[in-house]
Amino acid sequence: AEGGERFRGECSISTWAERRNDRAGVVVAVEDNGDGVPLEIREKVFEQFFTTKPAGKGTGLGLSVCIDIVKSHEGTLEIRNDSSLGGASFELWLPLDS
């Protein structure tokens, strides 16, 4: 920031085994200490062509492609507030059986 303190970004990636709906699976969580994702747009970020960038600056395809791939493998992708770093937490769960 101009004349102020410089923001020091942090990112954490963790994995663990987790059962959901009686299915064994694995979770990959990516967390940061940024501003997070506001509640009012959390579900929209997975929609095709949704972007928070000005017109002509973003395609809005990244997370919609991700969610399609995850669903095709019967998994889930969720956004939460990160409890440890204070920013956003993206949690991907994929079943071990298909």
Side-chain angles (χ1 to χ4, degrees):
E2 210 173 298
E5 287 187 39
R6 178 174 269 178
F7 176 75
R8 182 168 171 80
E10 293 181 45
C11 182
S12 169
I13 301 171
S14 48
T15 61
W16 63 89
E18 185 172 299
R19 292 190 73 81
R20 294 188 182 178
N21 299 323
D22 287 329
R23 294 179 79 183
V26 64
V27 176
V28 178
V30 179
E31 303 163 331
D32 68 25
N33 68 333
D35 293 334
V37 179
L39 282 172
E40 59 270 9
I41 67 166
R42 282 195 190 166
E43 292 304 315
K44 292 180 184 179
V45 298
F46 296 114
E47 293 175 8
Q48 193 173 36
F49 305 119
F50 176 80
T51 182
T52 57
K53 297 177 183 173
K57 295 291 181 182
T59 61
L61 292 173
L63 287 174
S64 71
V65 170
C66 290
I67 197 72
D68 288 346
I69 293 169
V70 169
K71 286 180 178 179
S72 74
H73 292 280
E74 300 177 14
T76 60
L77 181 58
E78 300 170 334
I79 305 172
R80 298 189 170 99
N81 285 334
D82 178 38
S83 58
S84 60
L85 294 177
S89 175
F90 285 79
E91 287 190 11
L92 164 68
W93 178 83
L94 291 172
L96 294 176
D97 63 341
S98 55

